[in-house]
């Protein structure tokens, strides 16, 4: 039998709660409302929960999941709970107020618990692989995380690669010049960005170049296409009725096939990089940390796999948004270009200064407000927690929706519809926005380990592109849609005008 998930006391708690229709039977406290009182969708029915809402019968589309969440909050308020299919799933609490976000952050423990994703575990168990850093909790998680943190959370490590990252950004800019059509647009700019983000991640992780802008390199396309498929399948498997729990659905099989392909490619990339290192009697910094750790071979394999794949679609997709906002706000683009040119013409390139250019930083912060790269953040807590004056028992999954609920709210952001990076340079405005959003990279000790790397990649690319091109966009407005990450509703057809 497949062991889908390790049952921890957190999960046992959640099961106990949902077996009484999500309500604790304990005594009620006078001022704090009970879990039972948290509003639930009116469409929820005994036995089948809200599963029908996630079918075409009710017009559900995965890509519109953010609108679905906003409608739920509109209908039920700042906090609600929902169980899609009782028996198979447990209730999840959705909350979004700054006070609740603050409570969630303050209650982060040393080993924050993020619910493992069942279909990922199913696959990894089926093939006898390690669950990987993203899917384990507690001490087991910490054992892996503390090894990778040495490389990923060290500014020194990340800044050591600034020049190489800048060089790869220049290669993307050369590629843009070579590939522009008669409209000065790059036909498949998304694919070019994925090549760029993989090349950037590979140099940092393997200390090796993959040569992805080399015309002859066809192999990488297959890898990148399959990483894309994995993300797409995950987006679809994540939401709605989890039939994959009962049998291997067509969608699950598609996910498995793409994932195995990716795993195979990662092994090949590693093998080639290690061969080259052996030749030079060297190894990558991350490899050194992993070799000297007490992690087993299977864990090391999965760490390498997860890190090489986690940064491709995430960074490539997210980078579409600052470029879009700068393209449709030419005066802000000009202001940023001035800052960048002043810097690169007067100072030697350094990670510390490039990553701290104030207006560049503010532009990326403002982009994350308008298009949170990842909108949802989930946790389970070991203790009961009070959210919006309801007591949420330990072990219940809590989903923070603040990124998409508050980002356009004038209560927290003046003129929220306008792209105004300046707001992040004004202490009063920054203060007003505190805790309004949980952030694109998660929070606490489990926050994305790749964030310094991803931001450095973006900083280098924006600096290179703005110093070489004026970026324009002449198509339908881009909106943020859901596919696990926030993805653009339109193709990134930017016009690159050489300057
Ligand atoms: C713009 C790009 C990226 C975004 C928006 C992003 C976002 C996130 C978020 C929201 C989480 C969950 C954090 C939490 O639970 O608090 C996460 C986890 C993770 N990210 Fe990223 N990420 C990005 C790039 C990267 C890169 C470049 C890498 C590695 C090369 C990476 C590797 C990981 C890993 C391994 C985890 C799991 C960490 C753990 O469970 O301890 N990410 N990321």
């Amino acid at each position: 039998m497949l062991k889908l998930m390790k049952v921890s006391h957190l999960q046992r708690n959640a099961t106990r709660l949902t077996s009484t229709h999500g309500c604790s039977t304990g005594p009620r406290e006078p001022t704090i409302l009970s879990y039972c009182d948290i509003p639930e969708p009116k469409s929820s029915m005994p036995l089948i929960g809200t599963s029908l809402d996630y079918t075409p019968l009710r017009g559900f589309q995965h890509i519109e999941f953010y609108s679905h969440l906003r409608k739920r909050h509109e209908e039920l308020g700042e906090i609600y709970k929902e169980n899609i299919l009782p028996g198979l799933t447990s209730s999840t609490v959705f909350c979004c107020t700054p006070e609740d976000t603050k409570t969630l952050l303050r209650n982060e423990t040393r080993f924050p618990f993020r619910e493992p994703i069942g279909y990922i575990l199913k696959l990894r168990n089926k093939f006898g692989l390690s669950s990987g850093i993203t899917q384990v909790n507690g001490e087991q998680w910490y054992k892996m995380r503390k090894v990778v943190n040495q490389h990923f959370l060290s500014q020194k490590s990340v800044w050591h690669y600034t020049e190489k990252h800048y060089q790869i950004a220049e290669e993307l800019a050369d590629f843009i010049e070579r590939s522009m059509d008669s409209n000065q647009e790059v036909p498949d700019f998304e694919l070019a960005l994925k090549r760029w983000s993989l090349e950037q991640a590979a140099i940092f992780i393997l200390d090796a170049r993959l040569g992805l802008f080399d015309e002859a390199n066809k192999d990488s396309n297959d890898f990148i296409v399959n990483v894309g498929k994995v993300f797409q399948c995950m987006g679809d498997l994540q939401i709605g009725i989890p039939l994959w729990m009962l049998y291997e659905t067509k969608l699950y099989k598609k996910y498995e096939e793409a994932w195995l392909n990716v795993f195979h490619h990662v092994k090949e990339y590693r093998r080639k990089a290690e061969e080259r290192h052996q030749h030079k009697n060297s190894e990558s910094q991350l490899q050194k940390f992993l070799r000297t750790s007490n992690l087993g071979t299977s864990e090391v394999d999965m760490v390498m796999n997860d890190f090489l794949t986690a940064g491709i679609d995430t960074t490539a997709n997210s980078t579409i948004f600052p470029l879009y906002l700068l393209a449709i706000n030419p005066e802000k683009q000009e202001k940023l270009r001035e800052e960048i040119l002043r810097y690169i013409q007067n100072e030697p390139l350094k990670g510390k200064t490039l990553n701290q250019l104030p207006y560049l930083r503010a532009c990326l912060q403002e982009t994350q407000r308008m298009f949170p790269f990842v909108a949802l953040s989930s946790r389970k807590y070991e203790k009961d927690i009070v959210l919006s004056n309801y007591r949420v028992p330990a072990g219940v999954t809590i989903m923070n929706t603040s990124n998409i609920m508050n980002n356009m709210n004038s209560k927290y952001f003046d003129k929220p519809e306008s792209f105004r990076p300046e707001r992040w340079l004004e202490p009063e405005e920054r203060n007003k926005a505190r805790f309004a959003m949980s952030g694109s990279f998660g929070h606490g000790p489990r926050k994305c380990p790749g964030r310094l790397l991803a931001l450095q990649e973006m900083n280098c690319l924006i600096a290179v592109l703005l110093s070489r091109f004026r970026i324009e966009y002449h198509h339908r407005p881009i909106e943020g849609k859901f596919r696990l990450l926030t993805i653009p509703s339109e193709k990134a057809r930017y016009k690159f005008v050489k300057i």
Side-chain angles (χ1 to χ4, degrees):
M1 273 297 283
L2 288 172
K3 203 170 73 183
L4 285 186
M5 290 173 196
K6 285 206 167 77
V7 180
S8 69
H9 66 285
L10 286 176
Q11 280 148 335
R12 276 197 299 275
N13 258 339
T15 316
R16 173 177 58 79
L17 284 158
T18 46
S19 63
T20 55
H21 298 288
C23 297
S24 162
T25 48
R28 289 176 179 228
E29 290 154 74
T31 48
I32 299 170
L33 296 167
S34 90
Y35 181 67
C36 195
D37 297 322
I38 299 180
E40 282 183 272
K42 294 182 185 62
S43 55
S44 184
M45 289 193 265
L47 297 175
I48 59 165
T50 55
S51 54
L52 287 183
D53 293 352
Y54 296 89
T55 63
L57 276 177
R58 302 256 164 99
F60 180 75
Q61 283 180 291
H62 286 86
I63 201 152
E64 298 297 343
F65 187 54
Y66 292 159
S67 313
H68 169 84
L69 287 171
R70 288 192 194 104
K71 273 193 212 134
R72 282 278 197 256
H73 274 296
E74 256 167 49
E75 179 198 344
L76 302 166
E78 291 164 337
I79 185 166
Y80 70 90
K81 68 175 186 297
E82 173 164 1
N83 193 349
I84 294 180
L85 196 53
L88 270 190
T89 57
S90 308
S91 283
T92 296
V93 167
F94 296 81
C95 65
C96 61
T97 67
E99 293 71 31
D100 286 349
T101 300
K102 200 195 291 183
T103 306
L104 295 175
L105 297 185
R106 297 226 161 122
N107 279 280
E108 282 275 277
T109 56
R110 197 161 158 241
F111 306 143
F113 189 104
R114 204 181 47 232
E115 180 73 41
I117 301 178
Y119 53 86
I120 299 185
L121 286 186
K122 179 170 171 145
L123 186 154
R124 294 183 181 189
N125 283 334
K126 178 172 169 185
F127 293 95
L129 302 166
S130 153
S131 304
I133 190 170
T134 56
Q135 303 305 314
V136 291
N137 284 293
E139 295 275 0
Q140 215 189 342
W141 164 76
Y142 186 66
K143 192 175 106 180
M144 288 190 228
R145 184 71 198 234
K146 82 171 177 229
V147 178
V148 293
N149 278 355
Q150 296 174 83
H151 191 50
F152 278 85
L153 294 194
S154 148
Q155 287 183 327
K156 199 171 151 221
S157 286
V158 177
W159 295 345
H160 176 75
Y161 285 89
T162 310
E163 266 181 53
K164 287 179 179 157
H165 283 154
Y166 202 85
Q167 172 56 35
I168 296 169
E170 293 274 16
E171 285 174 31
L172 174 58
D174 294 341
F175 177 84
I176 290 173
E177 279 195 29
R178 287 202 301 278
S179 335
M180 273 186 215
D181 59 18
S182 53
N183 294 325
Q184 290 169 274
E185 294 174 356
V186 179
D188 194 348
F189 187 54
E190 287 85 354
L191 181 63
L193 280 175
K194 286 180 188 175
R195 288 185 188 179
W196 158 80
S197 60
L198 173 57
E199 192 77 52
Q200 299 274 21
I203 190 80
F204 185 69
I205 294 169
L206 301 173
D207 207 8
R209 291 295 313 264
L210 303 181
L212 299 179
F213 289 111
D214 173 354
E215 268 23 25
N217 193 336
K218 299 268 181 266
D219 206 32
S220 62
N221 271 358
D222 188 50
F223 176 63
I224 288 171
V225 165
N226 277 289
V227 171
K229 275 191 199 161
V230 167
F231 267 93
Q232 184 164 6
C233 293
M234 284 171 73
D236 292 345
L237 286 162
Q238 193 77 13
I239 312 299
I241 312 171
L243 288 177
W244 56 265
M245 280 176 136
L246 302 173
Y247 66 102
E248 291 192 359
T249 58
K250 208 168 142 195
L251 180 61
Y252 171 83
K253 284 187 182 144
K254 192 172 156 198
Y255 162 73
E256 184 179 289
E257 192 187 328
W259 191 89
L260 289 174
N261 182 298
V262 166
F263 192 59
H264 163 77
H265 278 294
V266 169
K267 276 193 160 170
E268 265 307 284
Y269 286 138
R270 281 181 65 198
R271 192 187 57 74
K272 284 187 194 153
E274 277 158 28
E275 251 174 36
R276 261 174 270 151
H277 281 301
Q278 262 171 15
H279 198 62
K280 290 193 270 171
N281 210 7
S282 65
E283 67 183 333
S284 76
Q285 186 66 20
L286 179 62
Q287 193 63 45
K288 186 170 155 204
F289 286 132
L290 290 166
R291 181 175 53 76
T292 50
S293 71
N294 59 354
L295 299 180
T297 318
S298 171
E299 284 171 317
V300 171
D301 279 352
M302 204 50 74
V303 163
M304 286 306 234
N305 183 76
D306 287 347
F307 276 86
L308 268 170
T309 51
I312 306 175
D313 278 39
T314 44
T315 313
N317 245 308
S318 306
T319 305
I320 290 172
F321 297 114
L323 298 181
Y324 169 65
L325 288 166
L326 290 166
I328 61 167
N329 291 280
E331 71 295 353
K332 308 288 180 192
Q333 183 180 153
E334 206 41 57
K335 188 169 170 183
L336 178 57
R337 180 174 296 109
E338 277 167 24
E339 180 182 73
I340 288 167
L341 290 179
R342 218 178 310 123
Y343 168 64
I344 53 180
Q345 285 164 1
N346 296 323
E347 283 182 51
L349 183 68
K350 273 199 197 123
K352 186 171 170 29
T353 33
L354 177 73
N355 288 304
Q356 287 171 0
L357 288 180
Y359 200 64
L360 177 55
R361 259 175 102 145
C363 285
L364 280 178
Q365 274 175 298
E366 180 68 341
T367 304
Q368 290 175 69
R369 176 186 71 80
M370 297 185 81
F371 293 98
F373 302 151
V374 171
L376 307 172
S377 156
S378 106
R379 286 287 185 271
K380 273 187 180 183
Y381 291 87
E382 284 175 30
K383 291 186 190 155
D384 292 3
I385 192 168
V386 175
L387 296 174
S388 296
N389 207 37
Y390 292 96
R391 181 170 297 280
V392 178
V396 170
T397 298
I398 299 166
M399 194 71 82
N400 187 325
T401 51
S402 60
N403 280 348
I404 46 158
M405 291 309 297
N406 302 337
N407 63 337
M408 291 295 173
N409 188 335
S410 54
K411 206 163 130 192
Y412 312 115
F413 302 101
D414 292 337
K415 300 200 184 80
E417 300 299 331
S418 45
F419 176 67
R420 212 166 56 77
E422 290 74 10
R423 73 174 84 242
W424 298 103
L425 302 171
E426 290 160 16
E428 225 171 87
E429 280 209 52
R430 283 182 75 101
N431 224 11
K432 192 171 149 195
R434 249 185 122 212
F435 300 113
M437 295 169 68
S438 66
S440 283
F441 292 95
H443 52 81
R446 200 141 192 182
K447 197 171 179 178
C448 173
R451 67 188 182 277
L452 291 179
L453 171 64
L455 290 172
Q456 165 153 294
E457 292 174 17
M458 287 187 205
N459 286 334
C460 287
L461 186 64
I462 293 172
V464 166
L465 292 185
L466 261 57
S467 61
R468 289 177 55 171
F469 306 102
R470 201 176 64 240
I471 306 173
E472 298 175 11
Y473 179 77
H474 302 289
H475 303 280
R476 277 202 305 224
I478 291 182
E479 287 171 35
K481 299 282 175 188
F482 173 85
R483 204 180 72 197
L484 209 62
L485 313 162
T486 301
I487 58 157
S489 56
E490 308 296 323
K491 286 203 143 298
R493 284 187 286 159
Y494 302 127
K495 178 172 175 179
F496 293 96
V497 183
K498 272 180 79 173
I499 47 175

